[in-house]
Amino acid sequence: MTTASTPTWPGSFGAEPRRKRRALSRELIVETALKIVDTEGLDALNMRRVAQELGTGAASLYAHVANKDELLALLLDRVYGDLDHPAPDAERWREQAKDFLRQQRDNLVSHGDLARAAMIQNIPTSPGALDAAETMLALLRAGGLPEQVCAYAVDVISLYVVATALEESSRQGPGGVPDEGQVEAYIGGVRSFFASLPPERYPMIVAMAGALTRNVGDERFEFGLDLLFDGLTAQAGRTFD
Amino acid sequence: MTTASTPTWPGSFGAEPRRKRRALSRELIVETALKIVDTEGLDALNMRRVAQELGTGAASLYAHVANKDELLALLLDRVYGDLDHPAPDAERWREQAKDFLRQQRDNLVSHGDLARAAMIQNIPTSPGALDAAETMLALLRAGGLPEQVCAYAVDVISLYVVATALEESSRQGPGGVPDEGQVEAYIGGVRSFFASLPPERYPMIVAMAGALTRNVGDERFEFGLDLLFDGLTAQAGRTFD
DNA sequence: TAGTTGACACGAACGGCGTTCGCTAGTAGA
DNA sequence: TCTACTAGCGAACGCCGTTCGTGTCAACTA
């Protein structure tokens, strides 16, 4: 049985004049993928979608990128490459470090929910992520902290940055602009959910519904930074083994 | 065109005596899914696999579970339901809190890389997760910390627990038993990678390769706990607005 | 006991995904 | 101008989550 198909003609009728061969490249693919993540979110990113944006088929991408995981890694590296690295100054290493972390967070948040990809990636091995780790280590060491404290701390701290970036981006929709009212509506929904819980089982959550969903600018993020760096001073004299 | 198919007989030849109708239920599905995650990891969990384990088809599951996301949420709730909740004691709230967090971490790690599902789930709304949050809030309040400090801190802290559980589970393979040598091989691989980096670009990382990959028992996790709780005491007097 | 009915179970299929295979066509060198 | 090579690409494979329409069992009614 031959199925009837829409008639086609191998030649060209002038419409769609067989796209001139594009100079496909890693950079172009990464840039295109990043644009999709920025505007439509990480879930909208797939190989076909990237290829379509470039006017080609998904298969063509595999000549430049091993697989989707590698593409995600390249995306993250591209974003981590956008950082300004401070030269450690022992006098103000703490503010330098905090600024550097704020920068990382802003960078991530400005690219939709790309932070989700960073969260899965357990250990940073890309040049950009390694650069960031190197700078953080240098800053902590400039603060005179013991080697092992720095080693452990750099993990905890970057974890915090990525996780809060993820939380922030999930507050905002997948789309581009944050949309103030939309964020407020989301927060408000969570607040009224907490407030509506049975008070006999969740007395604390109900009573603290307001405090739990408070979202004034970057106060929440800054609190975590203070917490971590205050804890760090307390650990300054710690020795291991 | 009729395609030739392998001959079948609608009746039974005695083999495969048409499985007795199973009493499918939410609990049974969740339990089965959990077993799969435990033994084969989160990636191996899919609706067909669960159904197969229950001797049925994937479609049957959807009568009891809305979709895969709900199944994951139920899985997490099931795991968070296994916690022992301490009654807050103002004299030793700190150790109580730390013990409670250690318990959460052990619980997560004992179920493969289920923590990855917890990481994606941004805000806890399931009974089990809410119970855990309630207990943590009660413990922090028992410590006399300001309301807003507790509210922010409970977020940061549970984030830390889930994230380190994820890190730990990714060290161990997807399989059940941790396998000591396997973990050591993984860590060793990361260490030699760090050590092999160009020292002129990554002087800190190369010099600290040992410290960065040190993995002595739960020392790493405990360090983070100390860091957070020390920071918390430093924030004890903080006011907002 | 025989008939009816409604809830549960399920095979098959749909659309979308990452990835691969093998043909095609454009380009650079002889 | 011819040839060899390489990048590009359509089509297909296998897997996924999910849905649809049908089948089937068990309890209730008469």
Side-chain angles (χ1 to χ4, degrees):
Chain A
M1 163 184 165
T2 59
T3 60
S5 59
T6 55
T8 57
W9 181 251
S12 165
F13 279 110
E16 297 271 342
R18 190 145 197 78
R19 174 179 289 278
K20 196 75 185 158
R21 179 176 289 227
R22 296 283 296 262
L24 229 42
S25 74
R26 251 170 122 92
E27 289 74 29
L28 189 55
I29 290 171
V30 169
E31 223 57 38
T32 306
L34 193 57
K35 192 167 59 181
I36 293 173
V37 173
D38 286 354
T39 57
E40 304 173 47
L42 197 62
D43 284 333
L45 181 71
N46 62 61
M47 303 305 271
R48 281 176 233 268
R49 184 76 185 72
V50 174
Q52 173 193 321
E53 204 75 14
L54 289 166
T56 179
S60 305
L61 305 180
Y62 286 84
H64 301 92
V65 163
N67 50 37
K68 193 185 177 181
D69 279 349
E70 184 178 296
L71 177 57
L72 284 176
L74 290 171
L75 237 48
L76 281 171
D77 191 54
R78 160 62 223 278
V79 169
Y80 270 94
D82 268 347
L83 296 171
D84 279 341
H85 294 257
D89 173 355
E91 297 303 316
R92 30 182 233 99
W93 68 275
R94 204 182 293 261
E95 260 321 304
Q96 284 185 308
K98 287 189 183 179
D99 274 339
F100 188 57
L101 296 170
R102 290 185 192 106
Q103 206 189 138
Q104 284 185 43
R105 191 182 101 115
D106 292 346
N107 247 19
L108 279 174
V109 172
S110 73
H111 289 106
D113 51 352
L114 184 62
R116 226 173 57 209
M119 200 75 250
I120 303 303
Q121 186 124 342
N122 30 8
I123 296 218
T125 55
S126 81
L130 287 175
D131 285 336
E134 176 71 22
T135 296
M136 270 307 296
L137 283 173
L139 286 167
L140 295 175
R141 289 294 269 166
L145 297 171
E147 187 181 57
Q148 191 63 58
V149 169
C150 294
Y152 282 159
V154 76
D155 253 24
V156 178
I157 292 174
S158 26
L159 192 72
Y160 174 70
V161 170
V162 175
T164 50
L166 174 56
E167 200 176 10
E168 179 63 29
S169 68
S170 75
R171 255 189 265 281
Q172 312 167 185
V177 258
D179 188 342
E180 184 59 37
Q182 179 181 329
V183 175
E184 197 45 54
Y186 175 82
I187 301 280
V190 177
R191 174 160 40 232
S192 52
F193 169 74
F194 283 162
S196 73
L197 290 170
E200 63 279 5
R201 179 165 178 180
Y202 302 110
M204 292 290 168
I205 295 180
V206 172
M208 298 171 66
L212 286 167
T213 54
R214 173 171 162 136
N215 189 39
V216 186
D218 289 333
E219 187 186 82
R220 189 183 210 88
F221 178 64
E222 293 295 329
F223 172 85
L225 283 190
D226 290 342
L227 190 72
L228 289 168
F229 279 84
D230 285 349
L232 221 42
T233 14
Q235 299 279 329
R238 177 130 170 202
T239 56
F240 294 82
D241 269 354
Chain B
M1 164 181 164
T2 59
T3 59
S5 59
T6 55
T8 56
W9 182 250
S12 167
F13 279 111
E16 296 274 338
R18 187 148 198 77
R19 174 181 290 277
K20 197 77 183 153
R21 180 176 286 227
R22 296 284 296 264
L24 228 43
S25 73
R26 252 170 121 91
E27 289 72 31
L28 188 54
I29 291 172
V30 169
E31 224 55 39
T32 307
L34 193 57
K35 192 168 58 183
I36 294 173
V37 173
D38 286 354
T39 56
E40 304 173 47
L42 197 61
D43 284 333
L45 181 71
N46 62 62
M47 303 305 272
R48 281 175 232 268
R49 185 76 184 72
V50 175
Q52 173 193 320
E53 204 76 13
L54 290 166
T56 180
S60 306
L61 307 179
Y62 286 85
H64 305 272
V65 164
N67 50 39
K68 193 184 178 184
D69 280 349
E70 185 178 296
L71 178 56
L72 286 176
L74 290 171
L75 237 49
L76 281 171
D77 191 53
R78 160 63 223 278
V79 170
Y80 270 94
D82 269 347
L83 296 171
D84 279 339
H85 294 257
D89 174 354
E91 297 304 315
R92 30 181 234 100
W93 68 274
R94 203 181 292 262
E95 258 323 305
Q96 285 185 306
K98 286 189 184 178
D99 274 339
F100 189 56
L101 296 171
R102 289 185 192 106
Q103 207 189 135
Q104 285 186 43
R105 192 183 101 114
D106 291 346
N107 247 19
L108 278 174
V109 172
S110 73
H111 289 106
D113 51 353
L114 183 62
R116 225 174 56 206
M119 200 75 249
I120 303 302
Q121 187 125 340
N122 29 10
I123 296 218
T125 55
S126 81
L130 287 175
D131 285 337
E134 176 72 21
T135 297
M136 270 308 296
L137 283 173
L139 286 167
L140 295 175
R141 290 294 271 166
L145 297 171
E147 188 181 55
Q148 191 62 60
V149 169
C150 295
Y152 282 159
V154 76
D155 253 24
V156 179
I157 293 174
S158 23
L159 193 73
Y160 173 70
V161 171
V162 174
T164 49
L166 174 57
E167 201 177 9
E168 180 63 29
S169 69
S170 76
R171 254 190 267 280
Q172 311 167 185
V177 257
D179 188 342
E180 184 58 38
Q182 179 180 330
V183 175
E184 196 44 54
Y186 175 82
I187 301 281
V190 177
R191 174 162 38 236
S192 51
F193 169 74
F194 283 161
S196 73
L197 290 170
E200 63 280 5
R201 178 165 179 179
Y202 302 110
M204 293 290 168
I205 295 179
V206 171
M208 297 170 68
L212 285 167
T213 55
R214 174 173 163 136
N215 190 39
V216 185
D218 289 332
E219 186 186 84
R220 189 185 209 85
F221 178 64
E222 294 295 329
F223 171 85
L225 283 189
D226 290 342
L227 190 71
L228 290 168
F229 279 83
D230 286 349
L232 221 41
T233 22
Q235 298 279 328
R238 174 128 171 203
T239 57
F240 292 82
D241 270 356

